[in-house]
Amino acid sequence: MTASLLGEIVWAVGTVAWFVIRYPYARRARRAATVRVDGLSRERILLGVATVGLFVVPVVYLATGWPRALNYDLNYAAVAIGVLVYVASLWLFRRSHKDLGRQWSASLEIREKHQIVRAGVYRLIRHPMYASFWLWALAQAFLLPNAVAALSGLVAVAILFFARIGFEERMLTEAFGEDYRVYMRETKRIIPGIY
């Protein structure tokens, strides 16, 4: 088996694992009462962009080979790095869902009885789910042997993150006031101790 084929298989298995992790939390989230939703149209667009970059473009590449002109061969070292980064992404993705519990939602929402979560990975960073998306996109860059498919995830996550993070932190500050401001001073956004 070539390194390129192995990378493609790892990406596909990891993507299925992502959906398996998210599914039970998404089902539970539909039953939770929502107090506030911010920018639903903006949210749909941004989540759509993320889906295109992290899922649609890679699936089109895997199904058709398009754009063939931008294919290249992977080596096993790149695949090994991609595997490690993907495992870290999936672990962080699962952990952040578990730590949020019923307060998780795919879009910017404040739930009934919503609280600031400071346990688990949230004691180190405020937005571990975004960190997991960055790691997924980075893993994709190491695992897919096509420039467009490899980099589409990083572009999509950058758009999602930078277009959304300000709105999210503003909404949480409005909902929780000084308590959230203190939490912001105590933690970094996505990289412990750095950013």
Side-chain angles (χ1 to χ4, degrees), residues 74-136:
L74 288 182
N75 60 48
Y76 289 101
V79 173
I81 292 167
V83 167
L84 292 174
V85 173
Y86 217 160
V87 167
S89 168
L90 291 169
W91 177 86
L92 188 56
F93 187 68
R94 182 186 174 283
R95 188 73 239 178
S96 58
H97 277 80
K98 187 171 169 64
D99 291 345
L100 277 178
R102 293 192 179 274
Q103 297 185 96
W104 174 81
S105 68
S107 58
L108 299 186
E109 298 178 357
I110 299 292
R111 301 282 186 184
E112 208 170 69
K113 300 179 184 174
H114 204 120
Q115 299 174 18
I116 299 171
V117 175
R118 289 186 166 101
V121 292
Y122 287 87
R123 76 184 186 288
L124 301 172
I125 53 176
R126 295 190 302 276
H127 304 287
M129 202 153 315
Y130 288 120
S132 76
F133 280 109
W134 280 109
L135 290 171
W136 177 5

Side-chain angles (χ1 to χ4, degrees), residues 168-187:
E168 185 166 344
E169 292 199 329
R170 187 170 26 260
M171 180 183 77
L172 292 166
T173 301
E174 288 170 4
F176 300 110
E178 187 58 26
D179 198 24
Y180 193 74
R181 285 193 222 22
V182 168
Y183 179 57
M184 289 174 73
R185 287 191 295 269
E186 293 172 349
T187 57

Side-chain angles (χ1 to χ4, degrees), residues 1-100:
M1 179 181 305
T2 66
S4 294
L5 179 58
L6 181 60
E8 292 169 353
I9 291 168
V10 168
W11 179 88
V13 169
T15 301
V16 169
W18 184 92
F19 283 104
V20 168
I21 290 167
R22 165 114 343 147
Y23 180 74
Y25 295 97
R27 265 189 71 195
R28 263 185 257 143
R30 284 192 288 269
R31 294 189 299 248
T34 300
V35 175
R36 175 181 172 182
V37 179
D38 248 16
L40 197 55
S41 295
R42 180 190 66 240
E43 284 297 293
R44 287 183 177 143
I45 291 167
L46 290 173
L47 293 172
V49 166
T51 301
V52 167
L54 289 168
F55 183 71
V56 175
V57 170
V59 167
V60 167
Y61 160 72
L62 291 174
T64 68
W66 181 86
R68 281 185 175 77
L70 298 175
N71 288 354
Y72 51 86
D73 290 329
L74 288 182
N75 60 48
Y76 289 101
V79 173
I81 292 167
V83 167
L84 292 174
V85 173
Y86 217 160
V87 167
S89 168
L90 291 169
W91 177 86
L92 188 56
F93 187 68
R94 182 186 174 283
R95 188 73 239 178
S96 58
H97 277 80
K98 187 171 169 64
D99 291 345
L100 277 178

